[in-house]
Amino acid sequence: MKAKNLAAQAGKRRPPLAWSMTADRVLMVLRKPLIAALHACLIVVAWMGSFVIRLDFDIPEPFRGAMILALPAVIIIKLVIFYAFRLFQGWWKYAGFNDLIDIARASAVSTLAVIVVAFAIFGKSLTLGQGEIFPRSVFVLDLVLTFLLVGGARFVVRAYTESFSFSTEMESVRRVLVVGAGRTGMTIVREMRANRMPRRRVGDAPSVRYQPVAFVDDDPSKQDVRVDGVPVLGTTEDIPRLLDGLNVDEVLLAVSTKSGRDIRRIVDACHDRRLLFKTIPSVGDLIDGRLSVSRIREVRIDDLLGREPIRTNLTRVHSNTEGHVVLVTGAAGSIGSELSRQIAMIGPAHLVLFERSESDLHDLELMLRLSMPNVAMSSVVGDILDAGDLAAAFERFRPSRVYHTAAYKHVSLMEHHVVAAVRNNVIGTYNVASAAGRFGAEQLVLISTDKAVRPTSLMGATKRAAERVLLSMSDRRTRFTTVRFGNVLGSRGSVVPIFKRQIEMGGPVTVTHPEVVRFFMTIPEAVELVLQAAAASRGGEVFHLDMGEPVRIADLAENMIRLSGFEPGRDIEVKFVGLRPGEKLYEELLVDGEDVEPTDHPRVLAVRTVDAGVEAGWIQAVIRAAEARDASALVALVCAAVPEFRPSELVLPAPPLPPMKQLT
């Protein structure tokens, strides 16, 4: 029977979680009363301490009686004023400078209120017939002690929270060297300290706690000082030495102005010592209140470009776009979608999205309408190879600005598909340009590539031929502009997504050649260049971007492997597979004889081209050969338009395929 009763009682016991939830509720209910009681104790200590200090630790009568008589009024007055100043609402472990200001104000106001009440009760003389009972300096001492005790209590709690850990799992503490001792670095150091939380229950995995051990900063005025208690021990040049002597686990970049070259140098120093290198969000995230330890991220590949990001002359871009009807071909592609997004942000009169992939177009339109519901836009499912599709779209919307991004771009794939490459890149460009001229568009911008310069691939040759097609079509009504740029980070089929997938699969990461180099830019940069070139164009120009130093693809692959937490050659292999047909070791941006002229944008250069338009009848010959699916004729025509092009064995003249008209 006794056993039954014990079992019943055990069954009625609350589970640990229920007890924890009950305790939390009790603490929430009692929090303010407990804080008020603690403040009352501090007020008592300050009031009595002021008498003790003023009277040399010996309080005679009548001072003792007056002190005790006035104490209840002092407590009530100060608690009411502290409550009015919301001193009971703050989290003490996050106390800061603003809290000190509030405490100083509340202390001053409450002391003035006590003085007023004392004068009202005891008269101006503050006497009871037995001499002075309230030395006036007591009020000053009370003010000082109240401020010190109330403020000090908060900072004792904060110091305890930040400086002590109840966890014995020391392996969860990561020692961090912070690059940048400015406002961002100081904020992240405070965030690290605030997030050093112990294990809540035995058996929990220990949470990662960051411990800042030192700053480095290139500002001479910050050398040999301490920032928020953390020493500044040198500049970025000293990082290798400091990493060897400080037993650091990670390096954290807390400054956004470092060049890609500096970042690569720091990454190399960390790699040599098998340390993690991370960066934090931008200062904009800090201002928006989004900065925290949880937002620390691995360095992105575009952090390693080796140059500063491109900045756009927004005034020129807005004036060339705002209030105009803008049509984008290939709108759902990597460049086209970002171009459509940035154009929509400027505020065109109408944005027309022209794309043949209806699923991608549908997704793009949903995204734009969700983020910018007030922008007038229309989606058109159409093909640039269908002149009827283009004519219908141009006649309906009458665009004044046309951005032609639709193209085939994969070098190795196009070597095997001569007809498709020429039709899409050359005839498609001719169709768009013809529609723009026929329906009175003021400007057409062609997206070209550095592979069009001294092309070794069919894709590059078709883009160069497309440039010449535009040159032959220039007229006074429509300004035709070409923009050349290098590889775009993160675009579909580009090397970075391929490398990421290969790393996720465990390797190997395939690189064509150890010495192959490429120019890189981000998708937003590429789009900004297009918009900037359009704004600067007077018609007939070719623009290209000063993209800084080219990036060695093998280095890019190795850095991506390291930033993913692996070691090249040990964890993931880098495999060299040889140059594919049409590829070359390095890309160029200018044809022999071409020169560049500056524009009003320091990174955008206008090419003084030596090319002329294609010969009369050339484009019609290309159209006839494409209709007949005669690959050999198309190769010959492309070579005629681009004499320096030497086709690979894959695209050498071959027997023609069955004509398109005979296909069923």
Side-chain angles (χ1 to χ4, degrees):
M1 189 67 181
K2 187 175 182 181
K4 275 188 181 180
N5 291 336
L6 289 174
Q9 290 176 9
K12 293 179 181 179
R13 289 175 185 171
R14 295 182 181 180
L17 180 59
W19 279 111
S20 176
M21 293 174 64
T22 302
D24 289 341
R25 291 193 187 101
V26 171
L27 287 176
M28 288 298 294
V29 172
L30 297 179
R31 180 176 177 272
K32 287 187 179 180
L34 289 173
I35 291 176
L38 178 57
H39 278 90
C41 294
L42 296 175
I43 291 168
V44 171
V45 173
W47 177 252
M48 299 181 73
S50 63
F51 278 87
V52 170
I53 294 172
R54 171 63 181 82
L55 299 171
D56 297 326
F57 298 90
D58 183 17
I59 308 175
E61 290 291 350
F63 297 111
R64 186 183 300 112
M67 175 186 70
I68 296 173
L69 181 64
L71 182 57
V74 171
I75 294 174
I76 294 172
I77 291 170
K78 291 197 173 188
L79 286 180
V80 170
I81 292 175
F82 284 6
Y83 180 82
F85 276 83
R86 299 183 178 182
L87 297 191
F88 301 161
Q89 296 181 359
W91 285 100
W92 290 18
K93 66 179 180 180
Y94 298 124
F97 183 71
N98 290 333
D99 295 288
L100 284 181
I101 294 176
D102 290 339
I103 293 169
R105 290 172 177 170
S107 299
V109 172
S110 63
T111 298
L112 288 176
V114 169
I115 293 173
V116 170
V117 172
F119 269 99
I121 295 175
F122 300 109
K124 294 183 179 180
S125 63
L126 294 180
T127 63
L128 289 173
Q130 299 177 349
E132 189 179 42
I133 61 171
F134 279 116
R136 289 167 177 78
S137 56
V138 164
F139 298 112
V140 177
L141 289 170
D142 176 60
L143 169 62
V144 173
L145 288 176
T146 299
F147 173 76
L148 293 177
L149 290 172
V150 175
R154 284 162 167 77
F155 280 89
V156 166
V157 173
R158 173 177 167 178
Y160 178 81
T161 302
E162 293 184 355
S163 302
F164 297 95
S165 174
F166 297 99
S167 175
T168 59
E169 301 287 348
M170 295 305 295
E171 67 273 11
S172 64
V173 177
R174 301 194 65 83
R175 294 167 58 84
V176 180
L177 176 68
V178 182
V179 181
R183 189 171 300 174
T184 303
M186 182 176 62
T187 301
I188 198 64
V189 162
R190 291 178 177 175
E191 183 73 11
M192 287 179 188
R193 290 169 173 165
N195 279 275
R196 295 181 67 208
M197 301 301 293
R199 288 191 309 177
R200 294 187 179 274
R201 292 184 299 271
V202 175
D204 285 355
S207 59
V208 175
R209 299 188 305 281
Y210 293 95
Q211 179 184 350
V213 295
F215 283 111
V216 293
D217 198 293
D218 290 333
D219 185 350
S221 66
K222 294 177 181 175
Q223 301 305 310
D224 299 320
V225 301
R226 298 180 74 86
V227 177
D228 206 11
V230 179
V232 181
L233 297 183
T235 67
T236 53
E237 297 288 343
D238 301 313
I239 286 179
R241 173 180 60 82
L242 294 174
L243 293 181
D244 292 334
L246 291 177
N247 191 25
V248 171
D249 298 305
E250 296 185 14
V251 175
L252 178 63
L253 184 68
V255 58
S256 60
T257 58
K258 287 297 176 189
S259 67
R261 189 175 291 105
D262 291 334
I263 295 175
R264 283 200 300 271
R265 178 164 50 81
I266 299 172
V267 169
D268 289 341
C270 295
H271 162 65
D272 293 341
R273 294 157 181 83
R274 301 184 184 278
L275 300 177
L276 288 177
F277 176 52
K278 296 180 179 179
T279 185
I280 63 174
S282 66
V283 175
D285 290 335
L286 170 62
I287 294 172
D288 292 339
R290 301 191 298 265
L291 180 60
S292 68
V293 170
S294 62
R295 293 292 302 278
I296 296 173
R297 59 168 174 81
E298 301 291 341
V299 178
R300 296 187 302 260
I301 291 300
D302 53 296
D303 291 326
L304 309 178
L305 282 176
R307 56 174 172 78
E308 297 300 319
I310 301 167
R311 304 301 178 196
T312 305
N313 184 336
L314 295 177
T315 303
R316 288 285 298 273
V317 169
H318 276 251
S319 64
N320 191 58
T321 307
E322 192 172 12
H324 290 274
V325 177
V326 183
L327 184 144
V328 180
T329 69
S334 301
I335 298 297
S337 58
E338 176 65 16
L339 183 61
S340 300
R341 187 188 68 83
Q342 291 197 25
I343 290 172
M345 291 177 63
I346 294 174
H350 201 96
L351 175 60
V352 183
L353 310 172
F354 190 92
E355 170 65 51
R356 68 183 177 189
S357 173
E358 55 99 11
S359 293
D360 292 337
L361 181 61
H362 176 262
D363 293 342
L364 174 63
E365 183 181 15
L366 284 180
M367 184 270 291
L368 292 178
R369 291 194 184 280
L370 183 64
S371 58
M372 288 167 277
N374 297 324
V375 175
M377 69 180 70
S378 299
S379 295
V380 177
V381 177
D383 194 331
I384 60 173
L385 295 178
D386 190 324
D389 287 350
L390 288 168
F394 275 79
E395 184 174 19
R396 177 183 175 189
F397 297 105
R398 298 284 173 167
S400 60
R401 303 287 186 269
V402 179
Y403 292 89
H404 179 40
T405 75
Y408 286 150
K409 63 179 182 179
H410 296 293
V411 170
S412 59
L413 189 61
M414 290 302 101
E415 296 292 289
H416 298 273
H417 297 85
V418 174
V419 176
V422 175
R423 289 181 69 231
N424 204 70
N425 292 357
V426 178
I427 299 175
T429 299
Y430 171 76
N431 289 342
V432 175
S434 297
R438 176 184 171 189
F439 291 96
E442 297 177 11
Q443 183 179 53
L444 182 142
V445 180
L446 168 67
I447 307 303
S448 190
T449 171
D450 54 5
K451 294 174 178 61
V453 179
R454 280 191 229 276
T456 57
S457 66
L458 180 69
M459 190 281 289
T462 59
K463 296 299 287 185
R464 178 72 174 283
E467 292 181 8
R468 295 195 63 188
V469 167
L470 285 194
L471 289 173
S472 66
M473 297 180 69
S474 294
D475 58 35
R476 294 181 180 179
R477 293 192 306 169
T478 304
R479 305 192 309 272
F480 292 103
T481 303
T482 297
V483 183
R484 291 176 187 160
F485 49 76
N487 298 270
V488 180
L489 287 171
S491 62
R492 296 176 186 172
S494 68
V495 67
V496 171
I498 292 174
F499 285 173
K500 284 183 177 179
R501 287 194 296 270
Q502 291 175 337
I503 292 170
E504 290 171 358
M505 295 173 64
V509 174
T510 56
V511 179
T512 55
H513 191 281
E515 301 303 322
V516 68
V517 295
R518 293 290 183 266
F519 294 101
F520 282 100
M521 69 176 69
T522 65
I523 293 177
E525 283 181 326
V527 167
E528 289 178 13
L529 170 62
V530 172
L531 295 173
Q532 191 67 53
S537 173
R538 296 186 298 271
E541 304 99 334
V542 174
F543 291 92
H544 84 82
L545 169 67
D546 176 9
M547 291 181 287
E549 297 295 323
V551 177
R552 187 168 168 263
I553 300 299
D555 292 341
L556 184 67
E558 291 178 358
N559 283 330
M560 287 192 66
I561 293 172
R562 293 189 188 109
L563 294 177
S564 300
F566 302 104
E567 179 65 24
R570 186 189 68 187
D571 302 319
I572 293 181
E573 178 189 2
V574 176
K575 184 178 180 181
F576 296 102
V577 296
L579 290 173
R580 292 170 293 188
E583 292 184 329
K584 49 186 177 180
L585 287 178
Y586 59 92
E587 303 291 358
E588 302 166 274
L589 293 173
L590 296 175
V591 178
D592 283 341
E594 287 184 339
D595 199 2
V596 295
E597 299 175 348
T599 68
D600 59 356
H601 192 289
R603 291 293 182 88
V604 179
L605 303 175
V607 178
R608 190 182 303 133
T609 182
V610 296
D611 278 345
V614 293
E615 296 180 0
W618 181 87
I619 188 65
Q620 297 303 323
V622 170
I623 293 173
R624 289 194 296 271
E627 289 177 347
R629 300 182 65 79
D630 190 343
S632 60
L634 290 174
V635 171
L637 287 166
V638 170
C639 289
V642 189
E644 65 269 33
F645 172 52
R646 297 292 181 268
S648 68
E649 294 180 358
L650 294 177
V651 295
L652 288 175
L657 296 171
M660 294 180 65
K661 293 180 181 179
Q662 297 179 10
L663 297 177
T664 58

